Amino acid sequence: QVQLVESGGGLVQAGGSLRLSCAASGRTFSSYAMGWFRQAPGKEREFVAALSASGGSTYYTNSVKGRFTISRDNANNTVYLQMNSLKPEDAAVYYCAARETSRASYYPHDYNHWGRGTQVTVSS
């Protein structure tokens, strides 16, 4: 069973940066695609970014392209989300997810394991 623990959230001013981390347990991390999703109050969970098991393919929702970067360190079972130029509309609970295949997906239902989330708050 894979366990995912997010960290790095917090309060930041608009224009600032945060780096989220997701630490994964288990020996199969390097074979899993990983994704970041977010959910704001009253809204559905939405795709933010994902990358393949090798890290060679990355995907972003349009609203974060050029501002966010997803990466992974398979040696340390960790996936990151570097968030720059944050906007108030980026505020949400951010979730890390693992998919039991090497190919990433945009859809939450394709992911098998989820963390509990980390809160990101952006003040204007």
Side-chain angles (χ1 to χ4, degrees):
Q1 183 73 6
V2 175
Q3 292 187 329
L4 305 173
V5 179
E6 302 96 336
S7 62
L11 172 64
V12 64
Q13 288 188 333
S17 298
L18 285 173
R19 188 176 81 155
L20 305 184
S21 299
C22 173
S25 65
R27 299 180 179 180
T28 53
F29 174 80
S30 62
S31 65
Y32 289 176
M34 299 296 295
W36 286 97
F37 293 79
R38 66 187 179 189
Q39 188 167 18
K43 295 187 177 182
E44 292 187 355
R45 191 168 298 190
E46 65 171 355
F47 171 79
V48 177
L51 80 171
S52 61
S54 68
S57 298
T58 57
Y59 309 88
Y60 299 93
T61 192
N62 285 340
S63 64
V64 309
K65 284 181 181 177
R67 300 189 298 122
F68 291 11
T69 302
I70 188 170
S71 62
R72 66 190 298 159
D73 180 350
N74 284 345
N76 290 299
N77 283 14
T78 304
V79 63
Y80 303 99
L81 185 67
Q82 177 68 44
M83 306 187 296
N84 299 328
S85 302
L86 281 160
K87 304 176 181 180
E89 53 263 42
D90 294 318
V93 177
Y94 281 70
Y95 297 91
C96 172
R99 188 184 188 204
E100 294 179 358
T101 179
S102 61
R103 298 183 65 180
S105 170
Y106 296 95
Y107 305 106
H109 62 254
D110 284 337
Y111 288 80
N112 307 98
H113 308 281
W114 291 84
R116 293 188 175 185
T118 185
Q119 177 72 52
V120 172
T121 304
V122 184
S123 63
S124 57

PDB file of all heavy atoms in Angstrom, residues 18-22 36-37 48-50 60 64 68-71 79-84 94:
ATOM      1  N   LEU A  18       5.791  28.996  -3.442  1.00  0.00           N
ATOM      2  CA  LEU A  18       5.800  27.886  -2.487  1.00  0.00           C
ATOM      3  C   LEU A  18       6.270  26.644  -3.224  1.00  0.00           C
ATOM      4  O   LEU A  18       6.048  26.514  -4.435  1.00  0.00           O
ATOM      5  CB  LEU A  18       4.407  27.613  -1.913  1.00  0.00           C
ATOM      6  CG  LEU A  18       3.837  28.559  -0.861  1.00  0.00           C
ATOM      7  CD1 LEU A  18       2.383  28.203  -0.563  1.00  0.00           C
ATOM      8  CD2 LEU A  18       4.655  28.531   0.407  1.00  0.00           C
ATOM      9  N   ARG A  19       6.866  25.737  -2.484  1.00  0.00           N
ATOM     10  CA  ARG A  19       7.188  24.431  -3.044  1.00  0.00           C
ATOM     11  C   ARG A  19       6.525  23.358  -2.203  1.00  0.00           C
ATOM     12  O   ARG A  19       6.822  23.228  -1.011  1.00  0.00           O
ATOM     13  CB  ARG A  19       8.689  24.173  -3.102  1.00  0.00           C
ATOM     14  CG  ARG A  19       9.001  22.890  -3.877  1.00  0.00           C
ATOM     15  CD  ARG A  19      10.481  22.630  -4.058  1.00  0.00           C
ATOM     16  NE  ARG A  19      11.094  22.026  -2.890  1.00  0.00           N
ATOM     17  CZ  ARG A  19      12.193  21.278  -2.944  1.00  0.00           C
ATOM     18  NH1 ARG A  19      12.792  21.058  -4.103  1.00  0.00           N
ATOM     19  NH2 ARG A  19      12.715  20.786  -1.842  1.00  0.00           N
ATOM     20  N   LEU A  20       5.628  22.636  -2.846  1.00  0.00           N
ATOM     21  CA  LEU A  20       4.970  21.525  -2.193  1.00  0.00           C
ATOM     22  C   LEU A  20       5.782  20.257  -2.401  1.00  0.00           C
ATOM     23  O   LEU A  20       6.373  20.039  -3.463  1.00  0.00           O
ATOM     24  CB  LEU A  20       3.565  21.321  -2.741  1.00  0.00           C
ATOM     25  CG  LEU A  20       2.637  22.530  -2.707  1.00  0.00           C
ATOM     26  CD1 LEU A  20       1.246  22.131  -3.210  1.00  0.00           C
ATOM     27  CD2 LEU A  20       2.562  23.143  -1.335  1.00  0.00           C
ATOM     28  N   SER A  21       5.785  19.412  -1.375  1.00  0.00           N
ATOM     29  CA  SER A  21       6.445  18.114  -1.459  1.00  0.00           C
ATOM     30  C   SER A  21       5.433  17.024  -1.147  1.00  0.00           C
ATOM     31  O   SER A  21       4.497  17.240  -0.368  1.00  0.00           O
ATOM     32  CB  SER A  21       7.604  18.031  -0.465  1.00  0.00           C
ATOM     33  OG  SER A  21       8.588  18.996  -0.729  1.00  0.00           O
ATOM     34  N   CYS A  22       5.654  15.883  -1.724  1.00  0.00           N
ATOM     35  CA  CYS A  22       4.817  14.712  -1.451  1.00  0.00           C
ATOM     36  C   CYS A  22       5.753  13.528  -1.259  1.00  0.00           C
ATOM     37  O   CYS A  22       6.409  13.089  -2.219  1.00  0.00           O
ATOM     38  CB  CYS A  22       3.847  14.469  -2.585  1.00  0.00           C
ATOM     39  SG  CYS A  22       2.912  12.932  -2.435  1.00  0.00           S
ATOM     40  N   TRP A  36      -0.705  16.157  -9.137  1.00  0.00           N
ATOM     41  CA  TRP A  36      -1.168  17.118  -8.139  1.00  0.00           C
ATOM     42  C   TRP A  36      -2.542  17.616  -8.564  1.00  0.00           C
ATOM     43  O   TRP A  36      -2.739  17.965  -9.734  1.00  0.00           O
ATOM     44  CB  TRP A  36      -0.215  18.303  -8.023  1.00  0.00           C
ATOM     45  CG  TRP A  36       1.060  18.015  -7.311  1.00  0.00           C
ATOM     46  CD1 TRP A  36       2.270  17.696  -7.864  1.00  0.00           C
ATOM     47  CD2 TRP A  36       1.273  18.035  -5.894  1.00  0.00           C
ATOM     48  NE1 TRP A  36       3.214  17.508  -6.883  1.00  0.00           N
ATOM     49  CE2 TRP A  36       2.618  17.712  -5.652  1.00  0.00           C
ATOM     50  CE3 TRP A  36       0.450  18.292  -4.787  1.00  0.00           C
ATOM     51  CZ2 TRP A  36       3.166  17.644  -4.368  1.00  0.00           C
ATOM     52  CZ3 TRP A  36       0.992  18.225  -3.512  1.00  0.00           C
ATOM     53  CH2 TRP A  36       2.336  17.906  -3.310  1.00  0.00           C
ATOM     54  N   PHE A  37      -3.430  17.653  -7.612  1.00  0.00           N
ATOM     55  CA  PHE A  37      -4.771  18.169  -7.814  1.00  0.00           C
ATOM     56  C   PHE A  37      -5.052  19.197  -6.728  1.00  0.00           C
ATOM     57  O   PHE A  37      -4.340  19.244  -5.727  1.00  0.00           O
ATOM     58  CB  PHE A  37      -5.801  17.034  -7.738  1.00  0.00           C
ATOM     59  CG  PHE A  37      -5.687  16.050  -8.860  1.00  0.00           C
ATOM     60  CD1 PHE A  37      -4.708  15.071  -8.844  1.00  0.00           C
ATOM     61  CD2 PHE A  37      -6.560  16.104  -9.937  1.00  0.00           C
ATOM     62  CE1 PHE A  37      -4.586  14.162  -9.895  1.00  0.00           C
ATOM     63  CE2 PHE A  37      -6.452  15.197 -10.991  1.00  0.00           C
ATOM     64  CZ  PHE A  37      -5.465  14.227 -10.964  1.00  0.00           C
ATOM     65  N   VAL A  48      -4.050  19.755 -11.626  1.00  0.00           N
ATOM     66  CA  VAL A  48      -3.069  20.834 -11.661  1.00  0.00           C
ATOM     67  C   VAL A  48      -1.881  20.440 -12.535  1.00  0.00           C
ATOM     68  O   VAL A  48      -1.541  21.142 -13.479  1.00  0.00           O
ATOM     69  CB  VAL A  48      -2.575  21.188 -10.247  1.00  0.00           C
ATOM     70  CG1 VAL A  48      -1.488  22.263 -10.312  1.00  0.00           C
ATOM     71  CG2 VAL A  48      -3.725  21.645  -9.372  1.00  0.00           C
ATOM     72  N   ALA A  49      -1.261  19.315 -12.205  1.00  0.00           N
ATOM     73  CA  ALA A  49      -0.064  18.889 -12.926  1.00  0.00           C
ATOM     74  C   ALA A  49       0.153  17.404 -12.711  1.00  0.00           C
ATOM     75  O   ALA A  49      -0.325  16.839 -11.718  1.00  0.00           O
ATOM     76  CB  ALA A  49       1.161  19.670 -12.453  1.00  0.00           C
ATOM     77  N   ALA A  50       0.879  16.788 -13.636  1.00  0.00           N
ATOM     78  CA  ALA A  50       1.202  15.367 -13.500  1.00  0.00           C
ATOM     79  C   ALA A  50       2.476  15.073 -14.261  1.00  0.00           C
ATOM     80  O   ALA A  50       2.879  15.828 -15.150  1.00  0.00           O
ATOM     81  CB  ALA A  50       0.055  14.502 -14.016  1.00  0.00           C
ATOM     82  N   TYR A  60       0.282  19.984 -17.539  1.00  0.00           N
ATOM     83  CA  TYR A  60      -0.198  21.061 -16.678  1.00  0.00           C
ATOM     84  C   TYR A  60      -1.553  21.544 -17.150  1.00  0.00           C
ATOM     85  O   TYR A  60      -1.840  21.556 -18.354  1.00  0.00           O
ATOM     86  CB  TYR A  60       0.764  22.249 -16.715  1.00  0.00           C
ATOM     87  CG  TYR A  60       2.156  21.939 -16.223  1.00  0.00           C
ATOM     88  CD1 TYR A  60       3.154  21.550 -17.101  1.00  0.00           C
ATOM     89  CD2 TYR A  60       2.467  22.036 -14.865  1.00  0.00           C
ATOM     90  CE1 TYR A  60       4.435  21.249 -16.647  1.00  0.00           C
ATOM     91  CE2 TYR A  60       3.745  21.746 -14.401  1.00  0.00           C
ATOM     92  CZ  TYR A  60       4.720  21.341 -15.304  1.00  0.00           C
ATOM     93  OH  TYR A  60       5.976  21.056 -14.854  1.00  0.00           O
ATOM     94  N   VAL A  64      -1.874  27.174 -14.949  1.00  0.00           N
ATOM     95  CA  VAL A  64      -0.623  27.177 -14.191  1.00  0.00           C
ATOM     96  C   VAL A  64       0.607  27.030 -15.082  1.00  0.00           C
ATOM     97  O   VAL A  64       1.739  27.101 -14.589  1.00  0.00           O
ATOM     98  CB  VAL A  64      -0.600  26.070 -13.102  1.00  0.00           C
ATOM     99  CG1 VAL A  64      -1.850  26.134 -12.245  1.00  0.00           C
ATOM    100  CG2 VAL A  64      -0.428  24.680 -13.704  1.00  0.00           C
ATOM    101  N   PHE A  68       3.989  26.962 -12.614  1.00  0.00           N
ATOM    102  CA  PHE A  68       4.200  25.788 -11.766  1.00  0.00           C
ATOM    103  C   PHE A  68       5.100  24.791 -12.483  1.00  0.00           C
ATOM    104  O   PHE A  68       5.044  24.655 -13.704  1.00  0.00           O
ATOM    105  CB  PHE A  68       2.878  25.093 -11.452  1.00  0.00           C
ATOM    106  CG  PHE A  68       1.945  25.847 -10.542  1.00  0.00           C
ATOM    107  CD1 PHE A  68       2.146  27.178 -10.204  1.00  0.00           C
ATOM    108  CD2 PHE A  68       0.835  25.212 -10.000  1.00  0.00           C
ATOM    109  CE1 PHE A  68       1.295  27.863  -9.364  1.00  0.00           C
ATOM    110  CE2 PHE A  68      -0.041  25.874  -9.160  1.00  0.00           C
ATOM    111  CZ  PHE A  68       0.184  27.204  -8.851  1.00  0.00           C
ATOM    112  N   THR A  69       5.879  24.058 -11.705  1.00  0.00           N
ATOM    113  CA  THR A  69       6.722  23.006 -12.243  1.00  0.00           C
ATOM    114  C   THR A  69       6.616  21.767 -11.364  1.00  0.00           C
ATOM    115  O   THR A  69       6.831  21.846 -10.152  1.00  0.00           O
ATOM    116  CB  THR A  69       8.191  23.445 -12.302  1.00  0.00           C
ATOM    117  OG1 THR A  69       8.310  24.629 -13.090  1.00  0.00           O
ATOM    118  CG2 THR A  69       9.043  22.347 -12.930  1.00  0.00           C
ATOM    119  N   ILE A  70       6.276  20.653 -11.990  1.00  0.00           N
ATOM    120  CA  ILE A  70       6.221  19.382 -11.279  1.00  0.00           C
ATOM    121  C   ILE A  70       7.512  18.615 -11.557  1.00  0.00           C
ATOM    122  O   ILE A  70       8.046  18.648 -12.671  1.00  0.00           O
ATOM    123  CB  ILE A  70       4.980  18.565 -11.690  1.00  0.00           C
ATOM    124  CG1 ILE A  70       4.821  17.333 -10.797  1.00  0.00           C
ATOM    125  CG2 ILE A  70       5.003  18.203 -13.169  1.00  0.00           C
ATOM    126  CD1 ILE A  70       3.493  16.603 -10.992  1.00  0.00           C
ATOM    127  N   SER A  71       8.012  17.953 -10.531  1.00  0.00           N
ATOM    128  CA  SER A  71       9.228  17.164 -10.691  1.00  0.00           C
ATOM    129  C   SER A  71       9.205  16.028  -9.681  1.00  0.00           C
ATOM    130  O   SER A  71       8.373  16.010  -8.769  1.00  0.00           O
ATOM    131  CB  SER A  71      10.471  18.039 -10.492  1.00  0.00           C
ATOM    132  OG  SER A  71      10.509  18.583  -9.184  1.00  0.00           O
ATOM    133  N   VAL A  79       7.773  13.675  -4.810  1.00  0.00           N
ATOM    134  CA  VAL A  79       7.361  14.481  -5.947  1.00  0.00           C
ATOM    135  C   VAL A  79       7.151  15.905  -5.443  1.00  0.00           C
ATOM    136  O   VAL A  79       6.722  16.116  -4.304  1.00  0.00           O
ATOM    137  CB  VAL A  79       6.094  13.911  -6.623  1.00  0.00           C
ATOM    138  CG1 VAL A  79       4.907  13.921  -5.682  1.00  0.00           C
ATOM    139  CG2 VAL A  79       5.772  14.666  -7.900  1.00  0.00           C
ATOM    140  N   TYR A  80       7.477  16.864  -6.283  1.00  0.00           N
ATOM    141  CA  TYR A  80       7.426  18.270  -5.906  1.00  0.00           C
ATOM    142  C   TYR A  80       6.502  19.045  -6.836  1.00  0.00           C
ATOM    143  O   TYR A  80       6.288  18.677  -7.990  1.00  0.00           O
ATOM    144  CB  TYR A  80       8.823  18.890  -5.991  1.00  0.00           C
ATOM    145  CG  TYR A  80       9.857  18.199  -5.141  1.00  0.00           C
ATOM    146  CD1 TYR A  80      10.729  17.273  -5.697  1.00  0.00           C
ATOM    147  CD2 TYR A  80       9.964  18.468  -3.782  1.00  0.00           C
ATOM    148  CE1 TYR A  80      11.689  16.627  -4.926  1.00  0.00           C
ATOM    149  CE2 TYR A  80      10.919  17.840  -2.998  1.00  0.00           C
ATOM    150  CZ  TYR A  80      11.777  16.919  -3.574  1.00  0.00           C
ATOM    151  OH  TYR A  80      12.713  16.289  -2.807  1.00  0.00           O
ATOM    152  N   LEU A  81       5.998  20.142  -6.312  1.00  0.00           N
ATOM    153  CA  LEU A  81       5.290  21.108  -7.137  1.00  0.00           C
ATOM    154  C   LEU A  81       5.821  22.489  -6.757  1.00  0.00           C
ATOM    155  O   LEU A  81       5.510  23.000  -5.684  1.00  0.00           O
ATOM    156  CB  LEU A  81       3.774  21.039  -6.930  1.00  0.00           C
ATOM    157  CG  LEU A  81       2.962  21.936  -7.850  1.00  0.00           C
ATOM    158  CD1 LEU A  81       3.067  21.454  -9.302  1.00  0.00           C
ATOM    159  CD2 LEU A  81       1.496  21.983  -7.423  1.00  0.00           C
ATOM    160  N   GLN A  82       6.636  23.045  -7.625  1.00  0.00           N
ATOM    161  CA  GLN A  82       7.140  24.399  -7.429  1.00  0.00           C
ATOM    162  C   GLN A  82       6.117  25.375  -7.995  1.00  0.00           C
ATOM    163  O   GLN A  82       5.776  25.301  -9.173  1.00  0.00           O
ATOM    164  CB  GLN A  82       8.480  24.580  -8.131  1.00  0.00           C
ATOM    165  CG  GLN A  82       9.045  25.981  -8.035  1.00  0.00           C
ATOM    166  CD  GLN A  82       9.451  26.351  -6.623  1.00  0.00           C
ATOM    167  OE1 GLN A  82      10.067  25.559  -5.914  1.00  0.00           O
ATOM    168  NE2 GLN A  82       9.105  27.564  -6.200  1.00  0.00           N
ATOM    169  N   MET A  83       5.652  26.264  -7.147  1.00  0.00           N
ATOM    170  CA  MET A  83       4.606  27.195  -7.545  1.00  0.00           C
ATOM    171  C   MET A  83       5.143  28.613  -7.430  1.00  0.00           C
ATOM    172  O   MET A  83       5.470  29.074  -6.333  1.00  0.00           O
ATOM    173  CB  MET A  83       3.374  27.021  -6.661  1.00  0.00           C
ATOM    174  CG  MET A  83       2.849  25.590  -6.618  1.00  0.00           C
ATOM    175  SD  MET A  83       1.288  25.431  -5.743  1.00  0.00           S
ATOM    176  CE  MET A  83       1.776  25.900  -4.098  1.00  0.00           C
ATOM    177  N   ASN A  84       5.223  29.286  -8.550  1.00  0.00           N
ATOM    178  CA  ASN A  84       5.704  30.664  -8.599  1.00  0.00           C
ATOM    179  C   ASN A  84       4.590  31.600  -9.060  1.00  0.00           C
ATOM    180  O   ASN A  84       3.590  31.149  -9.628  1.00  0.00           O
ATOM    181  CB  ASN A  84       6.889  30.776  -9.556  1.00  0.00           C
ATOM    182  CG  ASN A  84       8.074  29.927  -9.132  1.00  0.00           C
ATOM    183  OD1 ASN A  84       8.308  29.716  -7.947  1.00  0.00           O
ATOM    184  ND2 ASN A  84       8.821  29.443 -10.110  1.00  0.00           N
ATOM    185  N   TYR A  94      -4.215  21.318  -1.752  1.00  0.00           N
ATOM    186  CA  TYR A  94      -3.511  20.617  -2.812  1.00  0.00           C
ATOM    187  C   TYR A  94      -3.265  19.165  -2.399  1.00  0.00           C
ATOM    188  O   TYR A  94      -2.772  18.898  -1.293  1.00  0.00           O
ATOM    189  CB  TYR A  94      -2.187  21.312  -3.102  1.00  0.00           C
ATOM    190  CG  TYR A  94      -2.354  22.546  -3.948  1.00  0.00           C
ATOM    191  CD1 TYR A  94      -2.962  23.691  -3.431  1.00  0.00           C
ATOM    192  CD2 TYR A  94      -1.940  22.574  -5.281  1.00  0.00           C
ATOM    193  CE1 TYR A  94      -3.145  24.816  -4.208  1.00  0.00           C
ATOM    194  CE2 TYR A  94      -2.111  23.698  -6.065  1.00  0.00           C
ATOM    195  CZ  TYR A  94      -2.718  24.811  -5.524  1.00  0.00           C
ATOM    196  OH  TYR A  94      -2.904  25.928  -6.297  1.00  0.00           O
TER     197      TYR A  94
END
